[in-house]
């Protein structure tokens, strides 16, 4: 088969303990006026005060929007942009969890191109480059610091919506694992499980081949040699350290592994895309108001089981990256052992093992399946196709906790 690869990434990814101190240096390449998007938690920290004073020392004026809310309500972006427009920023710096990074990407979009956020929902609707964005994550999960996606909640829509465009990729990502040391265990688990789901869904995504027009029309284009490389790195790092970081948040080496894993997973899924576990989370999250990472991770083992007939050898490779050794049973047996290992890991970090535990009502199973089936860009990316009956079977199996029922 022809070797095919595509990957879209920031111009600079800087990773390592203490990298946050380089922010002012990086920012000075992009102008003298920076809009800082963060949330109330981070705005009150000494680390934030230090970053602001370093920017001031580098003669960079700042305007702080410090009220970013989880899941980025649509109208809060308009408020941020309204407040910041008169300041005429040269760049936008997002510091915080995925919500703050997505807020920064959306603010840069509206400051550059005007209009309303809803004008850009979907793929490839952003007409051109935006103000440069510098992304400084404080969680290890979403990968938003490197992805072409911003996810927001719109009061007029039941499901969360995305703006997906290569123009949304941050110009620079500055990843300092010290910033994640304050994450409580539950946040470490939820965001880390989201990252592992990104890596596994990207690695097991459909392989579409070498159609040269594909990356010009779609943001998520399936797996390829380069995204595989990042996905396997992410799986290896998260496999060896997510549980450690969950059990002991002061373990700096584990924190670094998990943050690198989350970023590498973002490098993979930002081009390869995610698939059915993410598709089901959208309606589940809308109904149960549970965190994104909880929903995708709850679904992941069921989706992997459903995908066995189409992707056993890829799932077995996931197992090898997790450190499992192949036995005598070939890829099928290793793939099954891999699913068991993911279930063990998620149980160890207290991820629910079935959708009923997330509060999904039994009479919403079919609705959830139908909504998930409608998320074309994710469903088409799954290695094994779905029809309505298969999707309902999958959601029912995940509701009941019946892994064998996901067939
Ligand atoms: N753009 C993408 O590619 C992408 C991918 C996946 C998910 N998302 C989106 O990202 C959002 C979730 O982001 P998230 O999971 O990073 O959480 P978040 O940004 O929503 O933050 C959740 C909570 O954690 C707190 N927090 C953040 N960092 C902390 C730290 N170091 N110590 C203590 N508390 C901290 C925040 O203040 C907040 O209260 C969702 O809206 C999701 O849909 C985006
Ligand atoms: Fe995710």
């Amino acid at each position: 088969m022809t070797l095919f690869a595509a990957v879209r990434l920031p111009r600079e990814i800087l990773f390592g303990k203490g990298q946050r101190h380089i922010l002012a240096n990086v920012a000075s390449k992009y102008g003298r006026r920076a809009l800082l998007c963060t949330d109330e938690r981070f705005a009150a920290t000494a680390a934030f005060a230090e970053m602001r004073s370093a920017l001031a020392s580098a003669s960079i004026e700042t305007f702080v929007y410090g009220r970013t809310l989880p899941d980025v309500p649509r109208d809060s972006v308009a408020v941020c942009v309204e407040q910041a427009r008169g300041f005429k920023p040269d760049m936008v710096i997002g510091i915080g969890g995925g919500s703050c990074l997505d807020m920064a990407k959306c603010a840069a979009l509206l400051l550059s191109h005007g209009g309303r956020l809803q004008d850009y929902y979907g793929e490839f609707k952003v007409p051109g480059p935006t103000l440069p964005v510098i992304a400084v994550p404080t969680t290890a999960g979403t990968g938003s610091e490197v992805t072409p996606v911003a996810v927001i909640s719109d009061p007029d829509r039941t499901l969360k919506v995305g703006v997906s465009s290569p123009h949304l990729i941050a110009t620079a990502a500055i990843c300092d694992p010290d910033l994640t040391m304050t994450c409580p265990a539950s946040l470490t688990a939820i965001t880390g499980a989201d990252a592992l789901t990104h890596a596994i869904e990207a690695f097991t995504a459909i392989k579409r081949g070498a159609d040269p027009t594909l990356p010009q029309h779609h943001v998520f284009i399936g797996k390829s040699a380069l995204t595989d490389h990042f996905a396997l790195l992410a799986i290896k790092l998260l496999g060896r350290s997510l549980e450690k970081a969950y059990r002991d948040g002061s373990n700096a080496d584990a924190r670094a592994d998990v943050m690198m894993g989350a970023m590498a997973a973002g490098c993979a899924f930002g081009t390869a895309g995610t698939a059915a576990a993410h598709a089901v989370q959208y309606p589940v999250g809308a109904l149960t108001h549970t965190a994104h990472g909880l929903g995708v991770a709850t679904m992941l083992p069921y989706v992997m089981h459903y995908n066995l007939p189409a992707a056993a050898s890829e799932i077995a490779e996931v197992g090898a990256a997790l450190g499992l050794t192949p036995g005598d049973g070939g890829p099928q047996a290793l793939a099954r052992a891999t699913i068991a290992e993911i279930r063990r890991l998620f149980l160890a970090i207290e991820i629910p093992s079935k959708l009923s535990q997330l509060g999904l009502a039994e009479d919403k199973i079919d609705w959830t399946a139908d909504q998930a089936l409608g998320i074309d860009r994710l469903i088409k990316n799954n290695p094994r196709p779905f029809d309505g009956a298969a999707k309902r079977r999958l959601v029912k199996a995940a509701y009941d906790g019946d892994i064998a029922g996901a067939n």
Side-chain angles (χ1 to χ4, degrees):
M1 189 193 269
T2 319
L3 189 59
F4 163 71
V7 70
R8 302 180 176 110
L9 294 174
R11 188 178 296 173
E12 259 187 299
I13 300 175
L14 303 165
F15 183 97
K17 189 177 172 59
Q19 283 290 350
R20 67 185 182 283
H21 300 304
I22 213 67
L23 172 65
N25 197 301
V26 172
S28 63
K29 299 174 201 172
Y30 300 107
R32 288 278 158 265
R33 303 171 73 76
L35 164 62
L36 297 188
C37 296
T38 190
D39 60 13
E40 284 182 344
R41 182 201 72 87
F42 195 74
T45 62
F48 184 67
E50 265 175 39
M51 285 164 148
R52 277 195 79 187
S53 69
L55 287 163
S57 305
S59 309
I60 297 172
E61 249 189 90
T62 54
F63 180 94
V64 178
Y65 180 80
R67 307 182 83 91
T68 303
L69 296 171
D71 303 323
V72 198
R74 179 196 71 193
D75 297 337
S76 69
V77 179
V79 170
C80 165
V81 167
E82 209 46 53
Q83 291 180 7
R85 200 180 292 282
F87 175 71
K88 295 195 186 331
D90 302 319
M91 73 193 92
V92 184
I93 302 175
I95 315 177
S99 298
C100 295
L101 307 189
D102 286 358
M103 171 62 103
K105 289 154 113 176
C106 290
L109 164 61
L110 293 190
L111 285 165
S112 306
H113 297 292
R116 305 162 315 156
L117 208 48
Q118 46 273 52
D119 301 336
Y120 304 101
Y121 292 168
E123 289 189 293
F124 279 99
K125 300 270 174 57
V126 179
T130 71
L131 288 178
V133 170
I134 302 174
V136 188
T138 64
T139 58
T142 69
S144 178
E145 65 274 18
V146 295
T147 71
V149 183
V151 185
I152 52 173
S153 42
D154 183 322
D156 297 331
R157 308 235 181 166
T158 312
L159 306 191
K160 283 170 84 176
V161 281
V163 179
S164 301
S165 161
H167 293 305
L168 278 200
I169 297 174
T171 306
I174 300 177
C175 308
D176 185 339
D178 280 354
L179 292 174
T180 67
M181 297 298 281
T182 48
C183 291
S186 64
L187 185 64
T188 303
I190 292 169
T191 51
D194 184 24
L196 187 55
T197 308
H198 293 155
I200 293 177
E201 289 216 283
F203 190 72
T204 56
I206 197 163
K207 193 177 221 159
R208 288 215 177 79
D211 171 5
T213 65
L214 188 67
Q216 308 313 317
H217 297 297
H218 293 283
V219 175
F220 288 172
I221 59 172
K223 82 199 249 94
S224 77
L226 283 169
T227 61
D228 283 356
H229 175 74
F230 284 112
L232 288 175
L233 172 64
I235 293 163
K236 183 177 135 196
L237 293 170
L238 292 163
R240 82 175 178 204
S241 292
L242 177 54
E243 194 177 338
K244 282 188 201 157
Y246 168 78
R247 293 200 187 285
D248 175 10
S250 68
N251 182 334
D253 290 340
R255 288 290 195 190
D257 273 2
V258 173
M259 188 174 221
M260 171 81 88
M263 183 267 282
C267 294
F269 95 83
T271 308
T274 54
H278 272 74
V280 176
Q281 191 281 329
Y282 276 76
V284 168
L287 289 173
T288 63
H289 303 289
T290 47
H292 169 84
L294 275 186
V296 298
T298 302
M299 281 309 296
L300 181 66
Y302 300 94
V303 170
M304 291 172 81
H305 193 272
Y306 176 80
N307 286 338
L308 274 174
S313 62
E314 285 80 7
I315 295 172
E317 278 186 78
V318 169
L322 289 172
L324 302 183
T325 41
D328 300 334
Q332 274 289 341
L334 184 53
R336 284 174 190 275
T338 305
I339 297 170
E341 169 57 16
I342 296 292
R343 296 185 89 192
R344 186 209 62 75
L345 171 61
F346 284 175
L347 196 67
I349 63 172
E350 294 185 76
I351 299 291
S353 60
K354 46 185 175 176
L355 290 180
S356 53
Q357 290 170 340
L358 291 178
L360 186 70
E362 192 168 9
D363 63 2
K364 293 291 184 197
I365 291 174
D366 288 357
W367 181 85
T368 298
D370 293 346
Q371 292 292 315
L373 200 58
I375 308 176
D376 226 34
R377 71 183 195 286
L378 301 181
I379 291 298
K380 277 193 183 149
N381 219 25
N382 203 68
R384 184 178 168 201
F386 284 101
D387 58 18
K391 195 82 215 178
R392 285 193 283 276
R393 224 166 40 242
L394 173 73
V395 177
K396 173 88 169 75
Y399 178 87
D400 290 336
D402 169 23
I403 191 97
N407 58 23

